[in-house]
Structure formats: structure tokens, C-alpha cells
Amino acid sequence: MKSPHEHNQDIQRQVEKRLQEMDDQIHAIDAPFYQTQKHQPEPSQKPWLKKLILGGKFFGLAVATLVAVRVASALAGIVIFGALVFLVYKLFLESKFKKP
């Protein structure tokens, strides 16, 4: 009959042996190794195409800016005109309509 200490050591050895077997099984299958490479973009055969696209973007941005400025100017004119009409009404015409 084994003592409890010997029994525990025996169980520990069996556990370690089983863990080692499992580790060997896990690492027995070698995963394929693929060498990674940094992506190298292919040299463009049409460098003028990139310049054309960049020019088109710039032209579109310029047109959009011009349209935005014109719209903002028109809205500002409408607001200023409306404010002047309101001011003239309040100063000169409102008192004439309330007298009678």
C-alpha cells in the first residue's frame, strides 16, 4: 500500500506525462509557413491618368467652392434686403397704419 504522499506524486507524474503527450500531439502537426512580403504596388503605366484624376478633383472642388460662394452671397443679399425692408417698415410705415 502506498502512502498518500507517494500516491500524490504518482498522480502528478501521470498528469505531467499526459500533458507532455498532449503537447507533443498538438505540436506534431506543423502548420505551413508562408513567407510574408511587403506589398509593392505595380508601377503605373499611365502616370498622366493620376494627374488627370487629381486635376479633375481640383476642378470639381473649385467649381463647388464657386457655387457655394455664389449661393451664400445670394442668401446674404436676401437677408440684408429683408432686414432693410423690416427696418423701413418699423421706422416709417408702422406708425402711419396705427393712427386711424
Side-chain angles (χ1 to χ4, degrees):
M1 185 92 184
K2 293 182 182 179
S3 70
H5 181 66
E6 290 175 348
H7 181 69
N8 286 340
Q9 285 182 343
D10 187 37
I11 291 176
Q12 186 177 359
R13 274 190 241 114
Q14 289 176 0
V15 168
E16 287 177 1
K17 183 179 177 184
R18 180 64 185 139
L19 286 174
Q20 184 64 37
E21 289 173 359
M22 289 172 62
D23 189 42
D24 290 342
Q25 287 177 353
I26 290 172
H27 295 300
I29 302 171
D30 289 338
F33 177 75
Y34 298 101
Q35 181 68 32
T36 58
Q37 296 177 355
K38 184 178 179 182
H39 175 69
Q40 299 292 333
E42 295 180 16
S44 178
Q45 292 131 358
K46 301 176 184 176
W48 57 269
L49 186 61
K50 283 187 178 182
K51 290 181 182 179
L52 183 66
I53 291 172
L54 189 62
K57 288 180 182 179
F58 178 72
F59 180 73
L61 184 62
V63 168
T65 303
L66 184 64
V67 168
V69 167
R70 295 245 176 164
V71 169
S73 175
L75 287 176
I78 291 170
V79 168
I80 291 171
F81 182 74
L84 286 174
V85 168
F86 180 73
L87 185 65
V88 167
Y89 172 75
K90 282 292 195 181
L91 289 175
F92 301 111
L93 302 176
E94 187 178 46
S95 60
K96 289 182 181 179
F97 291 131
K98 285 187 177 181
K99 281 186 179 179

